[in-house]
């Protein structure tokens, strides 16, 4: 079984920081791109940041210069460092990874989601 497990969400005051982690586990042959998404109520899930296997990054304009995505390939883990948090960053954040199991084909996987709440 292949899965993504997220951690690090919680409650923080505006201007504070959180660090989200997402670890892939199971019989994984390879991991390509990884990323973080968030989902406004009643809307489609939207991109926050992505990172390629080579380390190239992409960010939504709303989080650029505040959030940093990184990965540790040896640990099959992707991180999202969230600084200068604003109340409008309050969402459930989801980890995503394009992976291939040893006994399967390439497909996208999603974490269970972790709540980030930013108070005034």
């Amino acid at each position: 079984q292949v899965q993504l497990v997220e951690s690090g969400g919680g409650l923080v005051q505006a201007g504070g920081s959180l660090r989200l982690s997402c670890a892939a586990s199971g019989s994984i042959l390879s991991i390509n791109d990884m990323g973080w998404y968030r989902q406004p109520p009643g809307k489609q899930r939207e991109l926050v940041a992505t990172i390629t296997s080579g380390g190239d990054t992409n960010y939504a304009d709303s989080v650029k210069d505040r959030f940093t995505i990184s990965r540790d390939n040896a640990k099959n883990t992707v991180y999202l460092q969230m600084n200068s948090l604003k109340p409008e960053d309050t969402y459930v954040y989801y980890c995503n990874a394009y992976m291939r199991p040893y006994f399967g084909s390439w497909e996208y996987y999603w974490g269970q989601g972790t709540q980030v709440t930013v108070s005034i």
Side-chain angles (χ1 to χ4, degrees), residues 76-89:
N76 289 339
T77 300
V78 63
Y79 306 93
L80 186 67
Q81 179 66 46
M82 310 167 71
N83 298 327
S84 301
L85 282 162
K86 305 173 181 179
E88 50 262 47
D89 295 320

Side-chain angles (χ1 to χ4, degrees), residues 13-94:
Q13 290 186 342
S17 298
L18 286 172
R19 183 176 174 85
L20 307 183
S21 298
C22 175
S25 63
S27 299
I28 302 168
L29 177 63
S30 185
I31 304 176
N32 203 302
D33 293 358
M34 306 182 81
W36 291 93
Y37 295 74
R38 61 193 188 186
Q39 188 164 17
K43 298 180 65 177
Q44 294 281 81
R45 198 166 293 180
E46 65 183 25
L47 182 148
V48 176
T50 60
I51 184 167
T52 70
S53 59
D56 294 327
T57 59
N58 183 49
Y59 297 92
D61 288 341
S62 60
V63 307
K64 194 171 297 182
D65 301 323
R66 297 190 297 120
F67 294 5
T68 302
I69 188 171
S70 61
R71 64 192 289 168
D72 185 337
N73 292 329
K75 297 181 179 179
N76 289 339
T77 300
V78 63
Y79 306 93
L80 186 67
Q81 179 66 46
M82 310 167 71
N83 298 327
S84 301
L85 282 162
K86 305 173 181 179
E88 50 262 47
D89 295 320
T90 297
Y91 294 106
V92 176
Y93 286 72
Y94 296 89

Side-chain angles (χ1 to χ4, degrees), residues 2 27 29-30 97-109:
V2 176
S27 299
L29 177 63
S30 185
Y98 192 53
M99 302 190 291
R100 185 181 184 181
Y102 273 100
F103 302 102
S105 58
W106 285 97
E107 64 180 282
Y108 288 95
Y109 292 79

